[in-house]
Amino acid sequence: KTNLSGAFFWDKKKNFLQFSDVLVGDHLAASGEIDLISQKGFSNFSIQKILVEDTKNYLNEFFNYNNFPLKFNFNKISKKFKGGNLNNLNINLKFSLFEKFLIEDITGSSYFSNIRFDYNDKDFKKLLSTISGNFDFRLKPKKFNDNLFNVNINAANGIILVNNNIQYKFNKAILSGQFYNNA
């Protein structure tokens, strides 16, 4: 059972739907608009606090529901992130409703705390880190090239352990980069 409340406005002459202050349960707030003639719209979502594990589950469902141009194994990437919370998660979507619901652009930002990243490959037998900070990202599902999405991270109070031998603690780090489909 989920509670839903908010304000909806439909301009019949312009065939335009607006919604604001839509609350889904206690966590998700949304606003946006849809031009029912052009069948394009946007929506802004805000979540005050969500566990990383719950976020991974929702994103996995999202990627399974939407047919992206590239085959993409979200589970392979998401298994590297464990524990922690996302706070003040804000997501902005631009979409169209032509033949089906298609997302054209996603941007977002969030603060995060105590996110554990666990990575293994031929160069790093064991790379562990626990970080807190904030990030922003942009994803254009319909315009993929080889990169999956761009991300900028400002991290604080982190620890990195490399190959169980090298331990590095930091108070601040700034990372910018792109995640690739073959990650």
Side-chain angles (χ1 to χ4, degrees):
K1 294 181 181 181
T2 301
N3 293 328
L4 176 68
S5 65
F8 294 86
F9 173 75
W10 177 41
D11 183 336
K12 185 177 179 179
K13 289 182 182 180
K14 294 181 181 178
N15 212 6
F16 195 77
L17 176 67
Q18 290 180 309
F19 53 96
S20 62
D21 302 321
V22 175
L23 298 175
V24 179
D26 295 332
H27 305 288
L28 177 66
S31 62
E33 57 187 48
I34 303 169
D35 181 336
L36 297 171
I37 295 172
S38 71
Q39 297 183 358
K40 290 188 173 242
F42 73 88
S43 185
N44 304 315
F45 297 94
S46 176
I47 301 171
Q48 292 303 309
K49 184 175 183 177
I50 186 168
L51 295 173
V52 167
E53 289 302 317
D54 290 339
T55 304
K56 291 180 348 183
N57 291 336
Y58 293 132
L59 286 174
N60 192 40
E61 290 299 320
F62 171 79
F63 285 118
N64 286 337
Y65 174 76
N66 289 285
N67 296 323
F68 287 130
L70 295 175
K71 292 295 178 195
F72 165 54
N73 186 349
F74 179 73
N75 282 329
K76 183 177 178 182
I77 294 170
S78 71
K79 286 180 183 178
K80 295 174 173 95
F81 295 92
K82 300 175 182 177
N85 298 307
L86 299 177
N87 301 306
N88 298 324
L89 176 61
N90 294 299
I91 299 174
N92 305 306
L93 300 175
K94 289 183 183 175
F95 58 86
S96 62
L97 303 167
F98 293 118
E99 292 178 11
K100 60 182 180 178
F101 181 73
L102 293 174
I103 295 177
E104 297 172 359
D105 188 48
I106 303 171
T107 57
S109 64
S110 180
Y111 294 96
F112 57 92
S113 58
N114 299 317
I115 304 283
R116 185 170 167 238
F117 181 74
D118 189 351
Y119 181 78
N120 297 299
D121 72 4
K122 65 181 180 178
D123 297 320
F124 295 103
K125 302 294 183 239
K126 190 92 171 153
L127 177 63
L128 296 171
S129 67
T130 302
I131 57 175
S132 297
N134 62 43
F135 72 95
D136 61 82
F137 63 92
R138 181 172 196 140
L139 170 65
K140 291 192 170 201
K142 292 186 66 158
K143 295 184 179 180
F144 272 127
N145 46 28
D146 289 334
N147 73 329
L148 185 56
F149 64 90
N150 299 322
V151 65
N152 297 307
I153 299 173
N154 291 311
N157 302 323
I159 297 171
I160 298 176
L161 178 63
V162 180
N163 295 340
N164 291 328
N165 297 323
I166 303 169
Q167 182 174 345
Y168 178 72
K169 293 182 180 183
F170 60 89
N171 292 328
K172 183 173 182 161
I174 298 173
L175 304 166
S176 294
Q178 298 174 335
F179 282 88
Y180 288 84
N181 189 40
N182 61 2

